[in-house]
Amino acid sequence: MNYARFISIRDIARRLGLSAVASVAARARAVWLCSRYNRNPANSLTVTVGGSRAVFSIASALEYVALQNTYEARLIGSFVLPSLRSGDCFWDVGANIGFYTVFAAQRVGPSGVVVAIEPEPRARLRLEANLALNSCSNVVVLDCALGCIEANGTLHADAEPASGAHSLLQKTSLGTGAVAVRILPGYRLLDLHQLRPPSIVKIDVEGAEEDAIRGLQPLLSAPTCRALLCEVHFALLSASGNSGSPARILQLLTDCGFKKISWLDRSHFFASR
């Protein structure tokens, strides 16, 4: 038996943030899914969101639980997919194992493109595996992190590749090591990789939201960029002395021309024109 595939229920909750922000029902579901996986580990899982179906490989209990996160599926099905059109360009900043990336690639179709940005090497391998499983040939995968200036940085990696908890901010728990990464402003990627500017952007970068948005500002200001979904990590920002960052983020997006910014919960907002 491969015990490396298993993870404790407590770690599942901590890495998904369930102990702090989820409902009792969500925590109970995570416990049930984790127990189910530990009894009978699955190698893959078919997920349906907004009428689209995709297959994801499973390498741990956390992946099994995360891929059945009904709240994350609702964000994709209710906000991301309805905003995307055939031929669009979707930027997935903090793509992790590709949950948003795969469904967006299906929605934009062969005339569209998805730019998946994931600096953590193990998560990026999982992302590429899921793209191959779903025959996603319209995705560009980049290994940099986004910031407001060009720099060399350190990504503090979580012990679980698929947790999505890898951060440019120093963290003291659940870490497994430091990964050297290249940090680039988003607007620089157009020339460096001959990319199309984004139509829709999703950002989940574990406390580096403000710097990522500053580096994307020239692209976000273009009227062709219609919407942005972002997770703001208030606890990480507060712990790093950046408690004023959320207000600055909202002002930046207002300056970019986004007229409607709606908080979907205590950490996610959706901005549109």
Side-chain angles (χ1 to χ4, degrees), residues 61-252:
L62 186 134
E63 288 187 21
Y64 184 76
V65 175
L67 287 168
Q68 297 178 83
N69 183 335
T70 54
Y71 184 77
E72 204 74 36
R74 187 176 75 82
L75 291 178
I76 299 174
S78 299
F79 296 96
V80 174
L81 295 185
S83 301
L84 286 171
R85 306 166 186 164
S86 177
D88 271 349
C89 180
F90 177 72
W91 282 34
D92 190 353
V93 183
N96 195 21
I97 65 172
F99 197 36
Y100 284 79
T101 299
V102 169
F103 285 110
Q106 293 177 347
R107 180 56 58 96
V108 302
S111 62
V113 66
V114 174
V115 178
I117 300 169
E118 179 50 61
E120 209 286 328
R122 299 164 303 155
R124 194 168 58 252
L125 285 174
R126 306 291 302 127
L127 163 67
E128 291 169 341
N130 287 322
L131 294 177
L133 264 181
N134 292 278
S135 302
C136 296
S137 59
N138 58 345
V139 179
V140 177
V141 178
L142 301 179
D143 62 359
C144 61
L146 293 196
C148 57
I149 60 171
E150 293 189 39
N152 294 317
T154 300
L155 184 72
H156 302 280
D158 188 84
E160 167 59 48
S163 73
H166 320 298
S167 177
L168 291 170
L169 303 182
Q170 179 68 59
K171 297 198 285 187
T172 57
S173 64
L174 298 174
T176 189
V179 178
V181 295
R182 183 67 174 158
I183 301 172
L184 292 168
Y187 73 88
R188 286 279 289 123
L189 300 181
L190 266 66
D191 293 332
L192 289 174
H193 299 282
Q194 291 76 54
L195 299 177
R196 289 167 50 183
S199 312
I200 309 291
V201 178
K202 166 252 173 181
I203 298 176
D204 183 357
V205 289
E206 297 294 312
E209 301 87 54
E210 183 180 354
D211 282 351
I213 288 171
R214 288 189 184 278
L216 286 165
Q217 201 166 4
L219 308 182
L220 297 175
S221 297
T224 50
C225 184
R226 302 190 303 272
L228 177 146
L229 174 67
C230 181
E231 182 170 3
V232 179
H233 295 80
F234 286 92
L236 286 176
L237 292 170
S238 179
S240 63
N242 291 308
S243 57
S245 183
R248 293 193 296 269
I249 288 171
L250 298 184
Q251 185 59 56
L252 282 169

